[in-house]
Amino acid sequence: MRAEHPKAFTVSMVWTLILLYLGSVVHATESSLACPDWPTCFGTMVPEMSGGVFWEHLHRLVAGGLLLMWGLATWIVHKEVRGTPWVFRACLAGLALLVVQSVFGGLTVLFLLPDLVSTTHLGLALLFLALTTLLASWAVGGGGVGPLPPPLAAGVRRWGVTASALVFAQSVLGGLVRHMDAGMACPDAPLCLGQLVPPLDSALVTVHFLHRILGVAVAIVTVALAAWAQRAGAPHALRRWTAWAAVLVLVQVALGFVSVLTTLAVVPVSLHTLVAASLLAVLIHVSVMGWTAEGEPRAHAHDRPAEV
């Protein structure tokens, strides 16, 4: 039985994308410590919303709204969705992720933005995005792609999961680049320090260069997925979503170059994060299509979450 309220998952997914975008704006505008305390801001929950405080406190308010929204979605699932206990367990896991992620957000402030803590904060947000996208996609039957031949469905799962994992890893590595202030370690693009392979004798250059290399791998795999779906004669819905993934990854690469060439201007840097998160969501949706196309996700049949 499908969830009676798939919109709760979809809205949460979009809300998470907005939250990730705001988090990027907070860092790009150097507003991460605009509120020196946590969970309050200058000892109050209603500070004057100006300057960096506006972005930092808005980010916190949106995060709190997401936690309340997901709590409501979990309650709805518990009350109204029958026959799929794995969905309720997934919702509880999402609540736990949000709580832990919020705590890490507080630790980034209280410990003055340590690199690993800040990057973990981003990684947990991306994990939650993956979970809520999985549930949103499942709730609408994977987008109604319809039955697929087993070899095609297996290919969709294999390509989709591989691309999703690469995007997740590349996004987390991008977070490390951001929090280590390594965004300008290679001040030119597409070369790095004027070379195809720069001297990797600096941690900042190494992390930045690895982020670029992984970005190339993501682009190759994502474009190859779209091309494969076209050649394999996949249904129109599946071809459309893989084409969107290819467009997003090319935009993502372009935004990465623009971010460097504009010396990390707020708009391209923030959009770079948003597009990466959107690409992750699209690829997870494609992956779910590979399960729902053969009936129900395997996790549904075995009463546990689908492996994505």
Side-chain angles (χ1 to χ4, degrees), residues 7 9 68 71 76-77 84 121 137 152-153 163 213 217 225 241 245 252 259 276 287:
K7 289 183 179 179
F9 296 139
L68 292 175
I76 291 173
V77 166
T84 52
H121 180 61
S137 182
L152 181 58
I213 293 299
L225 166 61
W241 280 105
Q252 171 71 355
S259 296
S287 302

Side-chain angles (χ1 to χ4, degrees), residues 185-201 205 208-209 212-213 257:
C186 295
D188 47 345
L191 298 178
C192 179
L193 299 175
Q195 301 179 51
L196 190 60
V197 180
L200 303 178
D201 52 4
V205 172
H208 184 113
F209 185 68
R212 289 192 182 187
I213 293 299
F257 288 155

Side-chain angles (χ1 to χ4, degrees), residues 9-10 12-18 20 125-138 142 160 163-165 167-168 171 225 241-242 244-245 248 273-289 308:
F9 296 139
T10 302
S12 295
M13 178 187 67
V14 174
W15 197 284
T16 305
L17 288 172
I18 294 172
L20 283 162
L126 291 169
L127 278 177
F128 179 78
L129 174 66
L131 177 64
T132 187
T133 303
L134 168 64
L135 290 171
S137 182
W138 168 83
S164 298
V167 172
F168 178 82
S171 298
L225 166 61
W241 280 105
T242 56
W244 270 115
L248 285 172
T273 299
L274 177 61
V275 173
S278 300
L279 176 61
L280 177 62
V282 168
L283 289 171
I284 288 175
H285 180 57
V286 168
S287 302
V288 174
M289 286 181 173
V308 187

Side-chain angles (χ1 to χ4, degrees), residues 145-304:
V145 70
L148 295 178
L152 181 58
V156 171
R157 293 194 294 269
R158 181 172 59 252
W159 278 99
V161 170
T162 299
S164 298
L166 283 173
V167 172
F168 178 82
Q170 202 251 355
S171 298
V172 172
L173 186 57
L176 187 59
V177 169
R178 181 170 78 188
H179 297 299
M180 288 178 65
D181 291 327
M184 293 303 297
C186 295
D188 47 345
L191 298 178
C192 179
L193 299 175
Q195 301 179 51
L196 190 60
V197 180
L200 303 178
D201 52 4
S202 161
L204 298 184
V205 172
T206 300
V207 170
H208 184 113
F209 185 68
L210 287 177
H211 179 61
R212 289 192 182 187
I213 293 299
L214 195 52
V216 172
V218 167
I220 291 173
V221 171
T222 304
V223 172
L225 166 61
W228 172 82
Q230 294 289 334
R231 291 196 309 270
H236 175 70
L238 181 57
R239 286 185 283 116
R240 183 178 69 248
W241 280 105
T242 56
W244 270 115
V247 170
L248 285 172
V249 79
L250 295 177
V251 171
Q252 171 71 355
V253 170
L255 284 169
F257 288 155
V258 172
S259 296
V260 171
L261 296 176
T262 59
T263 318
L264 306 182
V266 174
V267 172
V269 166
S270 301
L271 289 178
H272 188 58
T273 299
L274 177 61
V275 173
S278 300
L279 176 61
L280 177 62
V282 168
L283 289 171
I284 288 175
H285 180 57
V286 168
S287 302
V288 174
M289 286 181 173
W291 270 278
T292 58
E294 289 187 329
E296 295 292 323
R298 292 180 181 180
H300 175 76
H302 295 285
D303 208 25
R304 58 182 174 79

